[in-house]
Amino acid sequence: MQPDLQRAAMVEEQLRARGVEDERVLEAMATVPRELFVPKATRGRAYEDVALPIGDGQTISQPYMVGLILSGLRLRGGERVLDVGTGSGYQAAVLAEMGADVHSIERVPKLAVRAREALAAAGYADRVEVRVGDGTQGLPEEAPFAAIAVAAAAPVVPPSLYGQLADGGRLVVPVGARREQLLLVVVRSPEGPVALAGVACRFVPLVGADGFGDG
Ligand code: SAH
């Protein structure tokens, strides 16, 4: 099947049918060539309903999880967004396609290099900045962010990330144990964090100062 047909089927069957309703997210995911963000050997599986290995024990998130994370951010276009855990660069590309000014941070240098290449090949290089570092600490010099998306599991809501949200800003992060988490939407308000109930999920661990320890 042609990639554009596979993308359209992915949006209908994996996203819309399961309750992802944000049209801007659906449109962007129907546009970004996901096959450019998976290793060549697994390109034929790019639109499957699963997370796929991208090397270094890491994965490109399942499309449904990307849909849930990005819907939780409630973006309208033009916002400054922090993407924690660049991985393949796919989620950063979808954010860019939605019109966001994307700052993405990855701890594994090799993955950051590959993500930059994939983002360039897909035409998003000028809208996404990929940095290497500990994303649990955010990017203080670029803060505040209207939205922060975290694609790896944290033991608690990382305090530095909450602190780098603009007022009314939204942070979506899987929080819980190493093997199972809840995808939380946390909104910054003058009274403090407001956490909205999330769905059960399973992400690779966020490794860093406010993440899980190494190993
Ligand atoms: N958004 C990615 C999903 C990648 S999986 C995609 O669309 O492909 C999560 C990624 O988070 C992995 O690449 C992992 O190396 C990275 N990661 C884990 N801990 C991190 C940290 N403290 N800072 C930045 N990246 C981290």
Side-chain angles (χ1 to χ4, degrees), residues 34 37 52 54-62 66 69 83-94 104-108 111-112 131-137 149-153 203-212:
R34 185 169 161 92
F37 295 87
L52 292 169
I54 56 171
D56 273 270
Q58 306 303 325
T59 56
I60 175 173
S61 306
Q62 179 190 18
V66 177
I69 290 178
D83 174 60
V84 177
T86 315
S88 68
Y90 175 71
Q91 183 167 284
V94 177
S104 190
I105 181 160
E106 169 58 50
R107 69 179 274 275
V108 181
L111 293 180
R131 300 224 197 160
V132 174
D134 178 5
T136 68
Q137 302 307 293
V150 185
F203 283 82
V204 296
L206 192 59
V207 178
D210 291 326
F212 289 97

Side-chain angles (χ1 to χ4, degrees), residues 52-185:
L52 292 169
I54 56 171
D56 273 270
Q58 306 303 325
T59 56
I60 175 173
S61 306
Q62 179 190 18
Y64 177 54
M65 285 299 150
V66 177
L68 281 184
I69 290 178
L70 299 189
S71 304
L73 298 178
R74 302 261 178 93
L75 297 173
R76 290 282 145 264
E79 294 96 341
R80 173 180 292 241
V81 179
L82 178 64
D83 174 60
V84 177
T86 315
S88 68
Y90 175 71
Q91 183 167 284
V94 177
L95 282 164
E97 180 62 37
M98 290 174 70
D101 166 18
V102 189
H103 299 264
S104 190
I105 181 160
E106 169 58 50
R107 69 179 274 275
V108 181
K110 195 164 62 178
L111 293 180
V113 169
R114 278 195 220 133
R116 282 191 201 108
E117 287 168 1
L119 285 160
Y124 297 108
D126 56 339
R127 283 179 266 172
V128 183
E129 183 208 21
V130 178
R131 300 224 197 160
V132 174
D134 178 5
T136 68
Q137 302 307 293
L139 277 181
E141 64 275 29
E142 301 288 350
F145 297 97
I148 302 179
V150 185
V156 294
V157 175
S160 311
L161 296 185
Y162 179 78
Q164 289 172 31
L165 281 177
D167 280 335
R170 298 167 79 89
L171 163 65
V172 180
V173 55
V175 174
R178 256 180 192 273
R179 299 183 68 83
E180 205 190 358
Q181 308 93 33
L182 281 180
L183 189 64
L184 295 185
V185 178

